[in-house]
Amino acid sequence: MSRLILATRNAGKIVELRAILAEAGLPHDLVGADAYPDVPDVRETGVTFAENALLKAHALARATGLPAVADDSGLCVDVMNGAPGIFSARWAGRHGDDRANLDLLLAQLADIADEHRGAHFACAAALALPDGTERVVEGRLTGTLRHEPAGTGGFGYDPVLQPEGGTRTCAELTAAEKNAISHRGKAFRALVPVVRELLG
């Protein structure tokens, strides 16, 4: 069984990708970056989700000598020309302050009518091999932004994005419901034929 490393210390992401690979019948042993504690975190200096995912995947593949998968994702708001985009996690200035990011976004959109509150979550997932071979796939979850947060599940902007055709926000969905339609789930599933092609 060949080993595949995912550039994350988020246990939930590892479980999600492991399940998708198993469902597809792929035999790879998937581990997270925690399995290689000496590998430093990579600065996300790209200007697109794809660039940031590739930066992380290549850095991990070089450092470990193993095939590496990485993803980058965020919220893209139509009337904001795709912002916050790659700055989603630090929109309010401090990385990972979900509540501040959410509050700032809602304040910026306060006067925007419902019909103009279209947005989507985007995710780019990259596979890089130690020899420099690379592939990137993308997934998205389209919806509209609520005026007020609803739900306690998920994280980030989940409490305000209501998926297209639904009546609940991402934060009101069960984990299984969200994984079935999520941008990351779609990107990871799109990665399956790539893994099969490059790793067998």
Side-chain angles (χ1 to χ4, degrees):
M1 181 184 290
S2 64
R3 178 165 272 201
L4 184 61
I5 182 165
L6 180 60
T8 186
R9 290 181 169 81
N10 179 327
K13 277 192 195 181
I14 296 164
V15 168
E16 186 179 4
L17 182 55
R18 204 174 268 155
I20 288 168
L21 293 175
E23 197 177 282
L26 292 170
H28 306 287
D29 173 32
L30 182 75
V31 298
D34 279 348
Y36 298 88
D38 295 337
V39 175
D41 287 334
V42 179
R43 288 187 61 229
E44 297 179 12
T45 56
V47 295
T48 65
F49 296 124
E51 285 179 18
N52 282 331
L54 280 167
L55 279 171
K56 292 185 280 190
H58 278 299
L60 207 52
R62 278 193 306 271
T64 63
L66 294 169
V69 172
D71 73 292
D72 192 39
S73 60
L75 177 71
C76 305
V77 180
D78 296 352
V79 297
M80 294 169 64
N81 292 318
I86 60 167
F87 304 109
S88 293
R90 53 187 183 275
W91 191 235
R94 195 168 70 245
H95 194 280
D97 189 340
D98 287 355
R99 186 70 226 193
N101 290 334
L102 198 53
D103 288 346
L104 176 58
L105 181 76
L106 289 175
Q108 290 168 325
L109 296 173
D111 298 329
I112 303 298
D114 290 352
E115 63 267 28
H116 300 300
R117 295 176 76 90
H120 66 272
F121 283 131
C123 176
L127 172 65
L129 306 188
D131 68 4
T133 301
E134 65 181 41
R135 296 280 194 286
V136 183
V137 293
E138 299 191 350
R140 66 166 54 188
L141 171 58
T142 303
T144 54
L145 294 172
R146 294 266 194 95
H147 291 267
E148 296 291 335
T152 56
F155 59 93
Y157 300 94
D158 284 353
V160 291
L161 187 87
Q162 179 177 303
E164 202 167 48
T167 57
R168 293 172 293 161
T169 69
C170 289
E172 294 176 294
L173 302 177
T174 65
E177 287 172 328
K178 186 185 164 193
N179 288 345
I181 62 169
S182 82
H183 50 305
R184 185 166 38 252
K186 288 175 181 174
F188 279 170
R189 282 188 288 275
L191 207 54
V192 165
V194 177
V195 172
R196 190 174 276 124
E197 174 202 345
L198 295 180
L199 304 180

